Amino acid sequence: MEDSDPTCAVAQIKNKTQQCFESRKNANCLLDIIAYSETNNKVVLLACIRSFHKLFPRYLSSGELFLDIPNDLKEKDLTKEEKYKVWLKERYNDVVGKLIQLVHHENLNVRELSLCTLMKFLSEEAQLPAAKHTQPRTHFPLTLFRRIVHALTSESIDLTSLIGRFQEYLSHDDVRYHFMKILHKQVTSKAQKSASDTVLTNIVTLLEQISFPSNETGELDQMMTKYPDSENTEKVRSLDEHRKLFTNVWIDFLQLKLPNSVYKKVLTILHEKVMPHLTNPLYLSDFLTASYDVGGAISLLALNSLFILVHKHNLDYPDFYEKLYALFEPSVLHVKYRARFFYLADLFLSSTHLPAAMVAAFAKRLARISLRAPASSLTITVPFIYNLINRHPNCKVLIHRETPVELQEDPYNSEEQNPVKSKAIESSLWELKTLQSHFHPDVAKKAQRIDQPLSKEEIQLGDILETSYNDLYVKETRKKVKYAPTNFNPPNGIMGLPSDKLNLCWTLD
């Protein structure tokens, strides 16, 4: 029903909602409200959804939607009360169908209110005993919940902004349990066919919302269902069962062909939001080692989770340092994950049991790519190299050797993939000598520190990992100088200096 005056339509909806509350005789007003929900006007739509949010929870809690009618009973044999309940249940199904559609509405407020209303219906149904349920012989309203989850995993509409609102409902243990079961079936079905990037984005966003309570006993008791199913109560209340489901969903999801954006998002959240809740984090070994072999930003993001497997779960990865060495290339200084990479690389290279030849190779490789690095990156790389030398005394030979006159005299082989065979330990850090003449005073000062006796304390990288050009600019502008630098010879016009070579080519009249 379209209405040219939204204010009038909203007033009508409120009036008809009140009439439905007052008497069953006004039940037909519900048809008018449903008709109003066919509009495209978001103000009217929101008013309709609020009306549904008020009316149907009352019908559910009062038992007016409860049907205890034999299947073989004909409509003409129904009493007035039974006919009313049949009619009301049909309207309830109409409203649920409409709200499922509105979850995909273009307006975020309409989406959110529709989802909240559907979950309110779910909550009210979950409070009913099985005998009074809208779906007989069920305890948790799975039929309705399955439709909600399917709506949130749309194939064509990105619902990332809406799914964040869904997290609050997953605090109920029974909701989380059934949600993971439904989602697992969807993920396994996607494996049989090519899934769209949109649905994979929606699924990973939903998976990201799952969290578990810190419960040492392993028994869960935060239920939405008032009358739990005795057959499934043990599984729903078991934290181990939840983790098994969680593990199965994630392992099957990671076997899908993920688009680059989803791939990066998965690697970003894996170490913090997924691994702590898996039954065995080593199940991710194949996925993470394959990701580490991809190169570029994917490898950088896989480092965090891979470090946890190596450090805490004894994953044996013999080529780990060769792959890490390969990541030290100029592009790593420009990616937005730079701070995380250097933080993890510092952890990996902190062991004093590493061969000096390997540590020297990392220091030399980083020094070489620093020659083409932006100033904001050099404030990280130079202290990083300093710490490597300070941490491994056998590498001090790199700063005591004389600088080669020609680049060809440097024995270091930058093309060698194996850091131990790169002959870096036979070379010198002449690159840092070059950086001592850098235009930025902070970089030059940090590079000059290598000429001084090494202190016992390492440079704390935590404060400088996020350094940007803006930080360098702000730092410079806060310096107080007595005399500002100016030209030695005062300029006289565009080409006013005697040494200006443009005078030889142009004449300005």
Side-chain angles (χ1 to χ4, degrees):
M1 180 185 293
E2 294 288 345
D3 197 299
S4 57
D5 186 1
T7 305
C8 179
V10 170
Q12 288 286 337
I13 292 168
K14 290 181 179 178
N15 182 46
K16 292 181 182 297
T17 303
Q18 185 60 35
Q19 290 180 42
C20 290
F21 277 124
E22 291 174 355
S23 174
R24 283 189 180 183
K25 295 179 181 180
N26 301 323
N28 282 331
C29 291
L30 190 57
L31 293 173
D32 296 332
I33 300 173
I34 295 174
Y36 273 115
S37 68
E38 298 300 323
T39 183
N40 291 323
N41 187 289
K42 66 178 182 180
V43 176
V44 178
L45 270 178
L46 290 171
C48 291
I49 300 170
R50 292 189 188 99
S51 175
F52 300 149
H53 192 278
K54 293 176 183 178
L55 288 172
F56 284 97
R58 177 179 173 179
Y59 294 146
L60 285 164
S61 60
S62 66
E64 292 181 77
L65 282 171
F66 165 55
L67 296 172
D68 188 15
I69 303 172
N71 293 330
D72 57 349
L73 193 65
K74 296 181 180 179
E75 185 177 353
K76 64 179 182 179
D77 298 327
L78 298 177
T79 64
K80 289 184 178 181
E81 178 72 13
E82 290 169 341
K83 288 181 179 180
Y84 167 74
K85 289 186 175 182
V86 170
W87 177 86
L88 192 60
K89 183 185 176 183
E90 291 173 350
R91 302 293 75 75
Y92 177 64
N93 291 335
D94 292 342
V95 168
V96 169
K98 184 62 183 178
L99 291 173
I100 292 292
Q101 292 178 15
L102 293 178
V103 167
H104 296 163
H105 195 271
E106 60 183 12
N107 183 267
L108 181 59
N109 291 331
V110 173
R111 289 181 182 181
E112 286 190 354
L113 192 55
S114 299
L115 176 63
C116 292
T117 303
L118 286 167
M119 292 305 295
K120 177 65 175 176
F121 293 173
L122 186 83
S123 176
E124 290 296 333
E125 286 196 33
Q127 301 304 312
L128 301 175
K132 290 188 177 182
H133 216 277
T134 56
Q135 298 292 331
R137 295 179 299 281
T138 62
H139 297 262
F140 187 87
L142 273 174
T143 303
L144 174 58
F145 191 47
R146 191 176 290 109
R147 294 183 70 182
I148 296 172
V149 176
H150 287 179
L152 291 174
T153 54
S154 171
E155 290 276 355
S156 56
I157 302 174
D158 188 341
L159 297 173
T160 303
S161 56
L162 174 66
I163 290 172
R165 187 67 188 270
F166 186 69
Q167 185 179 23
E168 62 185 89
Y169 304 106
L170 295 177
S171 60
H172 297 284
D173 300 317
D174 50 351
V175 174
R176 186 192 315 114
Y177 177 83
H178 292 294
F179 168 71
M180 289 190 292
K181 289 194 72 173
I182 295 170
L183 199 60
H184 187 214
K185 286 184 179 180
Q186 283 206 281
V187 169
T188 52
S189 69
K190 301 300 178 188
Q192 308 302 323
K193 57 182 181 179
S194 58
S196 67
D197 293 358
T198 303
V199 70
L200 293 174
T201 301
N202 289 332
I203 289 176
V204 75
T205 308
L206 282 166
L207 285 171
E208 188 181 2
Q209 309 308 314
I210 302 175
S211 60
F212 294 91
S214 54
N215 192 332
E216 296 180 0
T217 63
E219 186 170 336
L220 308 174
D221 56 6
Q222 297 296 321
M223 303 291 171
M224 178 182 283
T225 312
K226 188 176 181 181
Y227 301 91
D229 188 345
S230 57
E231 297 179 2
N232 289 324
T233 299
E234 186 176 346
K235 288 185 176 181
V236 174
R237 290 184 180 275
S238 171
L239 184 58
D240 289 339
E241 288 293 329
H242 281 244
R243 284 182 171 168
K244 285 179 184 177
L245 266 177
F246 183 77
T247 302
N248 292 337
V249 176
W250 268 106
I251 296 303
D252 287 342
F253 178 74
L254 293 178
Q255 292 177 6
L256 301 177
K257 185 178 181 181
L258 305 179
N260 206 40
S261 58
V262 175
Y263 204 155
K264 289 181 179 179
K265 185 172 184 178
V266 166
L267 291 172
T268 303
I269 66 175
L270 213 54
H271 68 285
E272 186 176 11
K273 295 187 177 182
V274 180
M275 295 180 73
H277 306 305
L278 296 178
T279 54
N280 186 355
L282 287 173
Y283 290 150
L284 299 175
S285 300
D286 291 342
F287 174 76
L288 289 173
T289 52
S291 301
Y292 194 44
D293 292 340
V294 170
I298 298 295
S299 295
L300 297 185
L301 292 173
L303 265 178
N304 219 330
S305 301
L306 199 57
F307 169 73
I308 294 175
L309 292 185
V310 172
H311 182 65
K312 295 185 178 181
H313 301 280
N314 301 319
L315 175 67
D316 185 20
Y317 192 3
D319 297 331
F320 178 79
Y321 283 98
E322 288 186 22
K323 298 289 176 57
L324 180 63
Y325 181 71
L327 292 179
F328 278 75
E329 53 185 16
S331 62
V332 79
L333 302 176
H334 300 273
V335 295
K336 64 178 180 180
Y337 312 110
R338 181 185 67 186
R340 176 184 291 190
F341 170 74
F342 278 104
Y343 170 76
L344 292 172
D346 187 54
L347 287 177
F348 297 142
L349 297 171
S350 62
S351 174
T352 55
H353 299 289
L354 293 175
M358 178 180 289
V359 176
F362 279 95
K364 181 67 177 178
R365 180 102 167 209
L366 188 55
R368 184 64 62 86
I369 66 176
S370 293
L371 294 176
R372 292 182 287 169
S376 58
S377 297
L378 290 174
T379 57
I380 302 172
T381 60
V382 175
F384 191 96
I385 296 170
Y386 180 90
N387 283 350
L388 287 180
I389 303 300
N390 199 13
R391 195 179 294 154
H392 302 271
N394 290 338
C395 294
K396 290 182 180 179
V397 293
L398 295 176
I399 60 176
H400 294 315
R401 286 200 181 99
E402 293 184 2
T403 302
V405 178
E406 298 290 339
L407 182 61
Q408 291 77 6
E409 297 178 12
D410 191 341
Y412 171 66
N413 182 5
S414 59
E415 302 298 326
E416 174 60 52
Q417 300 298 317
N418 189 331
V420 178
K421 297 179 180 179
S422 65
K423 297 184 179 180
I425 195 68
E426 302 173 18
S427 180
S428 67
L429 291 177
W430 58 265
E431 294 88 352
L432 292 186
K433 291 287 187 180
T434 304
L435 292 176
Q436 290 177 357
S437 303
H438 197 273
F439 75 89
H440 197 283
D442 276 2
V443 175
K445 185 177 180 181
K446 284 179 168 59
Q448 289 166 5
R449 187 172 182 176
I450 209 76
D451 292 335
Q452 303 170 6
L454 297 177
S455 63
K456 294 182 179 180
E457 295 183 0
E458 294 186 6
I459 301 173
Q460 296 300 317
L461 297 179
D463 299 332
I464 59 177
L465 287 178
E466 298 287 352
T467 302
S468 64
Y469 264 119
N470 185 59
D471 298 324
L472 297 179
Y473 178 79
V474 171
K475 185 177 180 180
E476 288 298 312
T477 54
R478 289 177 178 173
K479 290 181 179 179
K480 295 182 178 180
V481 293
K482 189 173 182 181
Y483 299 105
T486 59
N487 288 341
F488 183 76
N489 294 317
N492 183 17
I494 298 177
M495 299 181 292
L497 296 177
S499 61
D500 198 333
K501 301 301 182 184
L502 287 176
N503 282 312
L504 301 175
C505 306
W506 303 91
T507 301
L508 294 181
D509 295 330

